[in-house]
């Protein structure tokens, strides 16, 4: 049970958390405090763009640019929160990486995954299910019927969607599958397990996946030798067009946010922007928002990475964010302090109420901010937050040194504390890189739908990292090629990647790597057979599967091929079972390199001075910390070693997991949010655990919070190597 809030609990909160630790948005769906007056004009224009696309049969491109740290992702987060109030369907896509010829298909996969969610057993809670039902209601297609879930009502919805589809999908290519999703989900809610499988098959097809005969029959279709799938880019576009039109009919217009696209390499940017251009030209009621650092985006335009025609369409509406005034900077800090301290004021902690009445910026201090802003005409929101982070840490040090009563009595205390010892630049970079890797991996873990299982995405991420290591350092890797079928009708390659390594004895070893995320045994058959038949080009073959979400499924022919590969022995064939964390870690590594490339990764060195971290410095940090070698797949291709995919070997905690859940929920019941580290400190204190066990407690609290997030009880946001946890519905 939670203890009643007291002044001592307030002091513990000041010691254990820092509301200014996060200076960038990592989750647009989070509940982080925002100030409506900041970038109000740009936000109003962005809302108007969405409203225009909802009213008229047009599609609009909007370009959101500005310097690093001016608040682009914060603005998109505000749009997401605005849209969530029954106004629009916003899909936030970040770090979109695939081979150029499959870029549009991956955008579709990520979009449908976001709309349907990653848990097939709960599609009734998905945005896609909501959009379909609202479209039927708002258009009057149900002719006054109530939205009930009986068999007759479900059949009525099926007929209504078919009638509606005749107008927006005259070829009847997409609506029947959406109807399978709608009716399958509705019947599944009544306990029909077969109907649930039909809804899952519909989601797979809509995502651009290949279905086998069994899944195809669930959709009343037949699968050919290659399976059932969207035939080409035109078919992929058609799905997006129909989804956009249905969203408009539901009065929830579809908005695709492509954030930080300048993090991608030139080839990926060119492909993504070309597809975005085509979508905008041919779709209706669609908004595509492209966001990036101004300097990087203009370089992509002048270098013709983004063609002129695509730029003109994407940048039909340009919204440029600028730095903020000192008054606005103060409002940002006040907003975060209000969110962090309101729980103590509501519980009438006298010391907190008195201090806040005296100075609204307590415990930072108005006088401190005035000194920092002396002579400053404008600044980035990120700068103000970083200043506040350092100031909060200084107050934590003062509190630890003199104790709570004296700290409050003498607040704000001496002007300057002792200067911290100098830290080597490399150490600062390494610490920031490690924190951001953990943050990126955790963010994907909390939002699994944003990183769907996808063979080409896995291959592209792996190639992106390996290509930067070939022929460098102590790596055995000489070269790596990303093989794709360039033209329709051309035979698919035997492997996604072909790597050449030089062993210590000088022998060149060629390794083929195949990624397999097939949802059915039928989809696994041909890739495995191609691996078996490739006897001339490779010395070793590696199969990588998504063991957590798409474990290898084998039919008769597929099993025969897999058995043939296993008979080659471990020196010639290796099956790596990758879990979701392994996929997310690859994504996070690539994302860090991209942030550095677009000048959006910063550190503080020396204290009080901020500088950009270059892509070369990030790569050097990877090498110093052996971060690439820590990944089982990358290590296999960089060291010529065989590494087994392992699971979590951490022993279970000595305490009752249910007590941990109750602890988290009780502490959040009267606070707007807490860091997992602070929750762990309170937990460890109550359990009287030795300080050596704190890392174990912290890890346990984070895992429990992630589980509560998945179940919908709390909302967790990745922040460096920690989590910010809130009750659902709290802002």
């Amino acid at each position: 049970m939670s203890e009643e809030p007291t002044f001592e609990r307030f002091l513990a909160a000041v010691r254990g958390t820092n509301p200014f630790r996060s200076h960038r948005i990592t989750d647009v769906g989070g509940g982080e405090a925002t100030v409506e007056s900041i970038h109000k004009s740009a936000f109003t224009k962005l809302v108007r763009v969405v409203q225009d696309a909802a009213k008229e049969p047009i599609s609009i491109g909007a370009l959101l640019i500005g310097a690093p740290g001016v608040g682009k992702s914060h603005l998109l987060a505000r749009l997401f929160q605005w849209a969530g109030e029954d106004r629009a369907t916003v899909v936030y896509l970040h770090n979109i990486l695939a081979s150029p010829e499959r870029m549009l298909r991956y955008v579709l996969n990520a979009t449908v995954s976001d709309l349907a969610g990653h848990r097939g057993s709960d599609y009734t809670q998905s945005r896609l299910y909501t959009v379909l039902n609202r479209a039927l209601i708002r258009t009057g297609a149900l002719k006054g019927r109530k939205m009930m879930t009986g068999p007759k009502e479900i059949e009525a919805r099926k007929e209504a969607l078919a009638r509606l589809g005749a107008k927006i999908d005259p070829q009847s290519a997409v609506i029947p599958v959406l109807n399978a999703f709608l009716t399958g989900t509705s019947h599944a809610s009544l306990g029909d397990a077969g109907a649930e499988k039909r809804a899952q098959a519909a989601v797979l097809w809509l995502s651009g996946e290949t279905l086998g005969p069994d899944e195809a029959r669930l959709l009343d279709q037949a699968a050919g030798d290659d399976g059932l799938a969207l035939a080409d880019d035109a078919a992929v576009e058609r799905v997006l067009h129909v989804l956009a039109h249905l969203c408009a009919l539901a009065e929830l217009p579809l908005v695709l946010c492509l954030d930080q696209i300048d993090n991608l390499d030139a080839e990926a940017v060119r492909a993504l922007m070309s597809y975005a251009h085509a979508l905008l030209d041919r779709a209706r009621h669609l908004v595509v928002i492209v966001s990036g650092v101004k300097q990087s985006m203009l370089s992509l335009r002048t270098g013709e990475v983004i063609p002129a025609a695509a730029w003109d369409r994407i940048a039909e509406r340009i919204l440029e964010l600028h730095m903020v005034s000192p008054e606005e900077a103060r409002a940002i800090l006040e907003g975060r302090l209000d969110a962090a301290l309101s729980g103590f004021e509501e519980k009438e902690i006298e010391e907190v109420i008195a201090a806040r009445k005296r100075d609204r910026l307590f415990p930072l201090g108005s006088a401190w901010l005035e000194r920092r802003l002396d002579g400053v005409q404008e600044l980035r929101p990120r700068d103000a937050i970083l200043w506040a982070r350092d100031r909060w840490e200084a107050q934590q040090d003062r509190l630890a040194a003199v104790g709570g009563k004296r700290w409050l009595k003498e607040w704000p205390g001496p002007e300057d504390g002792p200067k911290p010892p100098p830290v080597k630049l490399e150490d600062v970079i390494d610490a920031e890189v490690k924190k951001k890797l953990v943050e990126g991996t955790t963010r994907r873990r909390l939002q699994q739908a944003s990183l769907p299982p996808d063979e080409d995405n896995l291959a592209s991420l792996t190639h992106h990292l390996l290509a930067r290591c070939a022929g460098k350092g102590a790596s055995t890797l000489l070269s790596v090629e990303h093989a794709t079928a360039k033209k329709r009708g051309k035979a698919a390659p035997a492997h996604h990647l072909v790597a050449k390594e030089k062993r210590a004895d000088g022998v060149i070893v060629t390794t083929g790597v195949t990624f397999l995320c097939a949802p059915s045994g039928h989809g696994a058959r041909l890739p495995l057979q191609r691996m078996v038949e490739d006897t001339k080009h490779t010395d070793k073959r590696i199969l990588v599967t998504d063991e957590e979400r798409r474990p290898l499924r084998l039919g008769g022919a597929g099993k025969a091929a897999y058995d043939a590969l296993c008979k080659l022995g471990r020196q010639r064939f290796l099956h790596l079972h990758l879990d979701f964390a392994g996929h997310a870690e690859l994504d996070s590594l690539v994302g860090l390199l991209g942030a550095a490339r677009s000048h959006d990764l910063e550190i503080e060195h020396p204290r009080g001075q901020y500088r950009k971290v270059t892509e070369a410095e990030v790569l050097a940090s990877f090498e110093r910390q052996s971060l690439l070698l820590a990944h089982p797949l990358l290590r296999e291709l960089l060291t010529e070693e065989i590494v087994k995919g392992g699971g979590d070997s951490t022993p279970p905690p000595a305490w009752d997991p249910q007590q941990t859940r109750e602890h988290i929920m009780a502490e959040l019941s009267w606070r707007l949010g807490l860091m997992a580290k602070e929750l762990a400190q309170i937990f460890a204190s109550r359990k009287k655990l030795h300080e050596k066990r704190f890392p174990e407690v912290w890890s346990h609290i984070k895992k429990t919070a992630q589980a509560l997030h998945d179940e919908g009880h709390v909302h967790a946001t990745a922040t460096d190597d920690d989590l910010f946890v809130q009750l659902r519905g709290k802002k």
Side-chain angles (χ1 to χ4, degrees), residues 407-427:
W407 170 74
L408 184 63
K409 181 180 180 180
E410 297 178 354
W411 184 85
E415 180 66 23
D416 296 308
K419 289 186 177 181
V423 183
K424 289 173 57 178
L425 174 61
E426 289 182 350
D427 292 342

Side-chain angles (χ1 to χ4, degrees), residues 84 153 191 207 229 320 357 379 408 429 445 485 494 572 589 630 636 675 701:
E153 287 77 19
S207 302
E320 182 176 355
K357 283 183 178 179
L379 68 160
L408 184 63
I429 292 175
R445 163 67 181 79
R572 297 177 61 199
L589 287 163
E636 174 61 32
M675 300 301 294
I701 290 288

